[in-house]
Amino acid sequence: MGSLQLQDFAAGWVGGTVSVFVGHPLDTIKTRLQAGQGYGNTLSCLLTVYRNESVAGFFKGMSFPLASVAVYSSVVFGVFSNTQRLLSQLRHGDPAQPPALADTLLASTLAGLVSVGIGAPVDLVKIRLQMQTQSYTADPRTQPTVAGSPAYRGPVHCFRTVLQKEGLAGIYRGAAAMLLRDVPGYCLYFIPYTLLCDWSVPEGGVSPTPSSVWLAGGAAGAISWAVATPMDVVKSRIQADGVHLSKYRGTLDCILQSYQSEGFKVFFRGITVNTVRGFPVSSATFLGYELSLKAMKRGQSESSP
């Protein structure tokens, strides 16, 4: 069982890496819509970014997620899978037994809780870089200091600057909103995926086909992101805040200010791009996870005497 635990983490790493390549351009659009000003709808935002920043604008801030989301995904999938097995062991005396729905719910909740510890700093850096619309200038004589000017020259500089200026609390800015997003979000991520995969396994079959994994993963991602969008808006706004001026005092203050200035509809800003992006990103994540896990298990069985 120890080897299988490591395989879950490794397979999660593969799934996370694939998902960044697939989803980052749409993630940039989503962040600009939620935390930026003057972008209008999804198509208008896409055209504005392309016109002002070319294709490179869609990939701003990708290097840090590429290096860190793989680790993040590895931990989430590792915690989820191993928690399910532990609960099956406790409930049935056999970790290989299919988990009960309550066990999947508990494993999803734990994965959501753990995800914030790693994901909050990653999202903060990513969003700060995505919200920069100009290049960083190293010369302080030419570096503007007004709001809207670039503050960071890259992910490491961003992380170091926030840590120096705001401390650990700054690195975890928006963590409460992320917790409120990720705990229900992961429940509506893993549970639909598990149910759809179980439903798609043919009579007498052992595991779902790659096409079933792709479809189940995509549907789960779309459902999860659609439901998570309101708190995702709040999290994005809090994390984008504080570069030059601090507008929000916390999660509740952000909710109230956003509602008072823009109405209830503000909490659904970016829901279209979130849902559309959720399908291919989650399809890629689950497919990368399942196929790599299957390959590692096959390699282990072939190498065993």
Side-chain angles (χ1 to χ4, degrees):
M1 185 174 169
S3 175
L4 193 59
Q5 288 176 320
L6 294 178
Q7 287 175 350
D8 284 317
F9 285 98
W13 185 90
V14 173
T17 302
V18 174
S19 73
V20 175
F21 282 105
V22 173
H24 195 79
L26 282 173
D27 187 67
T28 298
I29 297 298
K30 182 264 297 183
T31 299
R32 296 286 181 91
L33 284 170
Q34 291 179 341
Q37 298 291 329
Y39 286 106
N41 58 31
T42 301
L43 181 59
S44 172
C45 182
L46 190 151
L47 293 174
T48 301
V49 172
Y50 178 74
R51 189 163 49 244
N52 295 339
E53 304 166 59
S54 77
V55 174
F58 297 105
F59 292 93
K60 278 189 173 179
M62 192 179 90
S63 59
F64 191 61
L66 191 59
S68 52
V69 167
V71 177
Y72 170 82
S73 179
S74 170
V75 172
V76 167
F77 275 86
V79 168
F80 172 75
S81 299
N82 285 290
T83 301
Q84 281 200 133
R85 273 198 299 276
L86 175 62
L87 293 172
S88 290
Q89 173 73 50
L90 294 173
R91 187 184 293 273
H92 305 291
D94 180 7
Q97 281 287 319
L101 182 60
D103 295 344
T104 302
L105 177 64
L106 183 57
S108 302
T109 301
L110 185 58
L113 289 169
V114 171
S115 73
V116 176
I118 301 169
V122 173
D123 268 17
L124 178 88
V125 171
K126 173 178 67 67
I127 284 172
R128 291 285 177 92
L129 293 175
Q130 285 174 327
M131 293 306 295
Q132 288 195 150
T133 56
Q134 296 172 284
S135 300
Y136 179 88
T137 306
D139 188 344
R141 294 170 299 178
T142 61
Q143 180 70 12
T145 56
V146 296
S149 65
Y152 314 112
R153 58 173 177 262
V156 175
H157 180 250
C158 177
F159 185 88
R160 189 169 64 241
T161 301
V162 174
L163 191 60
Q164 288 172 347
K165 289 184 176 180
E166 304 173 54
L168 199 60
I171 291 296
Y172 279 92
R173 179 188 288 266
M178 190 174 186
L179 195 66
L180 294 172
R181 182 197 73 172
D182 281 6
V183 170
Y186 273 116
C187 289
L188 291 170
Y189 186 65
F190 285 116
I191 292 174
Y193 173 74
T194 302
L195 293 175
L196 287 168
C197 280
D198 290 345
W199 176 75
S200 67
V201 173
E203 189 72 29
V206 178
S207 61
T209 63
S211 60
S212 297
V213 169
W214 178 84
L215 186 60
I223 292 167
S224 175
W225 274 109
V227 173
T229 293
M231 288 313 301
D232 190 49
V233 171
V234 175
K235 181 198 73 71
S236 294
R237 290 187 163 211
I238 293 171
Q239 290 184 324
D241 187 41
V243 180
H244 303 282
L245 299 168
S246 291
K247 182 179 179 181
Y248 306 116
R249 294 191 302 272
T251 302
L252 183 59
D253 184 53
C254 180
I255 292 170
L256 293 174
Q257 284 197 49
S258 298
Y259 175 73
Q260 287 166 0
S261 60
E262 299 170 71
F264 190 67
K265 67 181 186 298
V266 69
F267 300 111
F268 296 92
R269 185 177 288 179
I271 191 169
T272 301
V273 71
N274 253 352
T275 306
V276 170
R277 169 183 166 271
F279 193 100
V281 168
S282 297
S283 292
T285 302
F286 278 109
L287 202 56
Y289 172 78
E290 296 288 3
L291 292 180
S292 57
L293 186 62
K294 189 175 290 186
M296 282 184 277
K297 287 179 177 179
R298 190 186 309 120
Q300 184 185 35
S301 63
E302 289 175 356
S303 61
S304 299

